[in-house]
Amino acid sequence: MHIEEMMYDITIIGGGPVGLFATYYASLRESKVKLIESLEEIGGQPAHLFAEKRIYDIPGQPGITGAQLSENLLIQAEIHHPTIITGEEAQTIEECFDELRQRYYKLTTPKQTHYTRTIIIAAGNGAFSPRRLQLPEAPLYEGKSLHYVIPSLQQFVHKTVMVCGGGDSAIDWALALETIADKVYLMHRRPQFRAHEQSIRQLEKSSVEVLTPYLPASIQGQDGQVTSMTIQKNRDTVTQVIAIDELIVSYGFISNFGSMRHWDLAMERGAFQVTPLHYETSRPGIFAIGDSCYYPGKVKLIATGFGEAPQAVNGALLAIDPDANIAPVHSTKL
């Protein structure tokens, strides 16, 4: 097959909320678009890590779960039938020129080579993995009664649950579990929580028992089933043994851009440095949006990424054709 037949106008890397909306908008602009996602399933962190947690910063949604948001965005993205590839991680890129001296990129994954005029990186903070509980016996319980990711709350019905962590996610999980679990503990190493003020106020009014300032000391149980946890007061020798059925560790996630760090793109504050108008990186024809990009005044919200997506798509279309329409009609006029 000739390269031109395999060529796409825009290839979007990352199938999270921002990548999905960018795919939809690129299709809406009648460009030939491809989405590449490293995981086997579309949806990014909201779908894989926060499926049952409610998200409150999506316009027009008073509260929507990660799973619902991802499903809605996928349905929207597929309206114009873009090419969606899953289970492939972007590894290398090579800048090339055709016989008319038009730039294109050859993008490789472990499975195949992709050809594209432009690239939009919407990979969040890159591949992610949880910060694990640093106790020698922790691996014996992981995936059984020690959880870093919660696909369903139903497994905690009528259970006694300990949540470890002091950020928004830890508090959100504790509050969500309060209505279905028999008892919920929330342990944090400091008296203060680094969470949204409204969440802290809800926590103070809830039946969740807060344990601060404490650290995990050891886990007791058998055959992967936790029966109790010993906690130790921070900077002290005082300990307590708390009987529990399930343990949730919410210490955040470690993420990195993997091979994309070697694409010779300028970076700042752990993200790709972009121009403020079209979010183009330091390499022509490569753009970055959502948590993948940084510029002065950047606000890391999903809603911000949704706004960046059309600008990057328009920038990509201009990179392909300098005479492209940069003021497309509103979708209500289509």
Side-chain angles (χ1 to χ4, degrees):
M1 184 181 292
H2 192 271
I3 286 179
E4 195 58 38
E5 296 176 23
M6 298 185 287
M7 187 71 68
Y8 281 77
D9 297 321
I10 302 173
T11 295
I12 295 164
I13 300 174
V18 175
L20 285 168
F21 184 64
T23 300
Y24 167 72
Y25 186 79
S27 300
L28 192 68
R29 293 296 316 274
E30 298 184 339
S31 60
K32 186 180 179 183
V33 59
K34 176 185 286 185
L35 170 66
I36 300 176
E37 165 58 47
S38 62
L39 298 177
E40 295 295 338
E41 300 293 334
I42 290 293
Q45 290 196 23
H48 296 284
L49 306 181
F50 314 120
E52 294 210 22
K53 281 184 61 179
R54 300 188 77 79
I55 300 170
Y56 297 101
D57 60 349
I58 306 300
Q61 295 288 345
I64 185 170
T65 66
Q68 290 171 330
L69 175 64
S70 300
E71 182 181 358
N72 291 349
L73 284 164
L74 180 58
I75 292 170
Q76 182 187 44
E78 289 182 324
I79 288 175
H80 300 289
H81 309 293
T83 299
I84 296 179
I85 305 290
T86 60
E88 293 191 26
E89 181 180 352
Q91 292 188 330
T92 66
I93 56 169
E94 179 184 348
E95 185 176 352
C96 307
F97 292 88
D98 62 19
E99 60 275 10
L100 298 177
R101 298 301 298 165
Q102 290 182 307
R103 180 186 292 106
Y104 69 91
Y105 285 97
K106 185 164 67 173
L107 188 157
T108 63
T109 72
K111 296 181 180 180
Q112 60 182 312
T113 299
H114 304 268
Y115 298 90
T116 184
R117 294 290 179 191
T118 60
I119 296 171
I120 298 177
I121 301 172
N125 294 311
F128 50 87
S129 60
R131 295 184 185 274
R132 299 184 180 276
L133 184 62
Q134 297 301 306
L135 292 177
E137 66 275 20
L140 300 174
Y141 302 93
E142 291 175 349
K144 299 173 183 175
S145 55
L146 167 54
H147 314 274
Y148 301 104
V149 177
I150 303 173
S152 173
L153 289 174
Q154 294 307 303
Q155 62 190 308
F156 302 104
V157 173
H158 300 312
K159 299 288 185 69
T160 299
V161 186
M162 171 79 77
V163 180
C164 301
D168 284 299
S169 291
I171 292 180
D172 288 348
W173 283 126
L175 292 172
L177 290 165
E178 181 194 15
T179 59
I180 62 171
D182 285 345
K183 176 70 178 179
V184 179
Y185 296 96
L186 177 60
M187 179 181 65
H188 184 41
R189 61 180 177 169
R190 297 190 184 96
Q192 300 82 21
F193 290 92
R194 57 184 191 284
H196 194 279
E197 293 87 347
Q198 184 179 13
S199 298
I200 294 174
R201 286 196 295 271
Q202 284 183 264
L203 179 65
E204 291 169 348
K205 297 175 183 178
S206 73
S207 62
V208 175
E209 185 169 339
V210 176
L211 303 169
T212 62
Y214 279 93
L215 298 168
S218 63
I219 302 171
Q220 295 77 46
Q222 188 174 4
D223 298 328
Q225 178 56 56
V226 173
T227 55
S228 63
M229 186 173 192
T230 301
I231 63 175
Q232 181 175 339
K233 204 158 193 178
N234 198 4
R235 300 180 182 179
D236 204 329
T237 58
V238 176
T239 61
Q240 286 189 55
V241 178
I242 309 292
I244 58 173
D245 303 310
E246 305 283 344
L247 174 61
I248 298 171
V249 176
S250 185
Y251 289 164
F253 294 87
I254 303 168
S255 58
N256 66 78
F257 288 112
S259 299
M260 285 188 284
R261 282 191 170 275
H262 306 295
W263 286 7
D264 194 27
L265 302 173
M267 300 192 73
E268 186 173 351
R269 302 192 185 186
F272 298 111
Q273 190 179 75
V274 296
T275 59
L277 179 57
H278 292 303
Y279 309 106
E280 190 169 23
T281 68
S282 55
R283 294 188 68 168
I286 301 180
F287 304 78
I289 56 178
D291 287 351
S292 294
C293 76
Y294 174 78
Y295 52 86
K298 167 76 176 184
V299 178
K300 285 197 170 187
L301 291 175
I302 295 175
T304 305
F306 287 162
E308 293 164 353
Q311 292 291 95
V313 168
N314 292 341
L317 295 178
L318 279 173
I320 298 169
D321 177 9
D323 295 324
N325 182 10
I326 60 172
V329 298
H330 297 292
S331 59
T332 50
K333 294 181 181 178
L334 294 178

